[in-house]
Structures are given as C-alpha cells and as structure tokens.
Amino acid sequence: MTTTIPRDKVFFAFGPHLRAIAEIEQGEEVLLQTHDCFEGQIQRPTDLVDSLDWSHVNPATGPLYIKGTKPGDVLRITLLDLEIGSQSSMVTIPGEGALGDLITEMETAILKREGDEVIFKDKIRVPTRPMIGVIGVAPADQEVPTGTPGAHGGNMDCTLITAGNRVYFTVGVEGAMFGAGDLHAAMGDGEIVVCGAETPGSVRFKAEVVDLPGLPTPFVETDDLVATIYSAPSVDEAVNGAIHRMARFLTDFARIPLNDAGMLMSLVGQLKFCQVVDPLKTVRFEFPKSVLAKYGFEMP
Ligand code: CA
Ligand code: CA
C-alpha cells in the first residue's frame, strides 16, 4: 500500500519550526505529488516571469514527519519512481543566472512531452531525464529558503537525484521534516539560466534510518557510484568541499588508505557541477562502487 501526499500542502523554507502535514513510517512507500517550481503559474508562452508571484516559487511538498528519526540520524531516501507532467516550462530572467549579464529579454518556452522526449521550440527533441531539484530535511539551527541548497539538501539540482537512486541526509530535527519539489523533465549540469524543463510530477519513495553515523551528507548512491554533494558561495569552496568529503568517506567509511584514496580519486573519480546559479554553487564528486568493493566496502 502506498500513502499519497497531495501537492496542495507546500512550504517555502526548510527550518526548525516547521509543522508536519503528515507522519510516515520508515520503510513505507509514499507517493509525494509536486508542483512545478512556479506552482503552476506558467502554463503558456505569454506567461512571463514578470507576472509571477515570487512568494510561490520553489514550493516543496511537505514537510513529512518520519517516525523514529532524531537529530544526527542518517536518513536514506530511496527513490523508487518519478513521474513528470505532459508539459514543462523554461524561462529567461534578465539579470539572473550565469548569463544574466547578457540576457535582456524575458521569454517563456513551453515544452510538450511526447513519450520519453520533450520538444523544444518544435525542433529539438530532448530525451527526458526526470530528476528532483529540491529535496531535503529541516536544519536544526536556521531557516533556509527552498530555493537555496545547503548541508540539509534543498535546491541542489543534482541530476543524479532520480528514480532508482538513493539520497542520504543527516536529520536535523525530530521527525526529519522531509520535503521535495522542483522536478525537471530534463536539465543539464550547471542549470545555466536557472531552470531545467520545469514540470509538476510525483515522487514515489521510502525513507529509512541507516547505520552510517557521520556520513558526509548530502550523499547520493546509484547502482554504480557514490557521490558527495557540497554547496558554497563560490565554486572554489564548493569544489573543495565535495572533494574533501569524498576523501573523508573513502578513508573513514571504506577504510581506503589516504594516499590510495587520493590517487584513485585522481584516477577514476569525477568532479561535476550540479548548478552554479541557486544562489550558492553546488558541486558533486563521484566515485565508482566497483573500487569500493575491491577494498571490501559495500553500502548497507
Ligand atoms: Ca532548482
Ligand atoms: Ca527548477
């Protein structure tokens, strides 16, 4: 049986004083319905960003109280399935994003979906790669708008956060106060004009506490790799944070000697951008699980 959480209960900041809209059990299958990042305000090309009510941008559905979770626990969110809508939107916002210095005209593009493709301006067919932009838990000590990424997760815009993969967070408050939103039908690494193909959708997942105390979170696991994610005001800091967290994971959890860890990160690791616009920069460092296995380590 799956518990459905409708998209009508949303919040706009992860923080210590949230009130849960529902309680869920660990291991229970939950279907979380989500608005697009504009909460449905953009439906046609004539809906430009100057007509937006910005207080309704980047809604996350939730928060959900996950029973039996307490501060310091490592929470694993297993993403079972993602569904996306029949159309998605993209916008340009003068002055915003990595090309904000050049872009002077607002524009809205509506991308219809046909099967596993979205269609950009009737000519470019792009394979769908559904992903979750905003996902996280409440921090204990501060309020973070859902449009901002951080140690709690939030607006990380990481393309690895998709069906079949697992995302790990460190619980900040009792019940975790989990939420997600901002699905994309597709998005490139970097998120250059501050959007992917923005779509409503739903996320089917289960949440469980796992015995990995001190795991450097946010952390992602796919069938083939693990990744540390780090967000900071500058790309330099974000890169440094993601790299050092992976080194710590490899030495402290996988028990790989530091020099081996460094050389292997240099040999088979991949440093990648998630986004550079949100307003912090988010970077990830990917490392293959096959190498962890050679050192006798497996994710639980
Ligand atoms: Ca986003
Ligand atoms: Ca988005």
Side-chain angles (χ1 to χ4, degrees), residues 37 58 133 155 157 182-184 191 194-196 198:
C37 73
N58 269 319
N155 195 9
D157 286 314
D182 186 32
L183 270 55
H184 302 145
E191 205 194 27
V194 207
C195 60
E198 305 293 332

Side-chain angles (χ1 to χ4, degrees), residues 100-120:
D101 56 326
L102 298 179
I103 288 176
T104 56
E105 285 185 33
M106 282 180 292
E107 182 176 345
T108 294
I110 300 296
L111 289 70
K112 299 278 185 205
R113 180 166 66 82
E114 285 181 9
D116 292 335
E117 293 178 321
V118 290
I119 299 152
F120 179 79

Side-chain angles (χ1 to χ4, degrees), residues 155-230:
N155 195 9
M156 298 179 287
D157 286 314
C158 174
T159 51
L160 295 179
I161 300 182
T162 187
N165 296 346
R166 298 155 155 193
V167 194
Y168 296 78
F169 300 102
T170 302
V171 174
V173 302
E174 189 192 308
M177 299 296 174
F178 173 80
D182 186 32
L183 270 55
H184 302 145
M187 191 196 93
D189 278 342
E191 205 194 27
I192 298 308
V193 298
V194 207
C195 60
E198 305 293 332
T199 180
S202 62
V203 179
R204 196 160 58 83
F205 73 95
K206 60 182 181 175
E208 289 148 311
V209 170
V210 291
D211 187 23
L212 286 169
L215 185 75
T217 56
F219 188 92
V220 182
E221 178 192 1
T222 76
D223 285 347
D224 306 320
L225 60 84
V226 293
T228 49
I229 298 179
Y230 195 75

Side-chain angles (χ1 to χ4, degrees), residues 214-261:
L215 185 75
T217 56
F219 188 92
V220 182
E221 178 192 1
T222 76
D223 285 347
D224 306 320
L225 60 84
V226 293
T228 49
I229 298 179
Y230 195 75
S231 301
S234 74
V235 166
D236 282 1
E237 291 165 273
V239 164
N240 193 45
I243 291 171
H244 280 80
R245 278 155 178 257
M246 181 56 76
R248 181 150 67 79
F249 169 76
L250 295 177
T251 55
D252 295 2
F253 287 79
R255 301 288 172 199
I256 301 178
L258 178 63
N259 284 356
D260 282 13

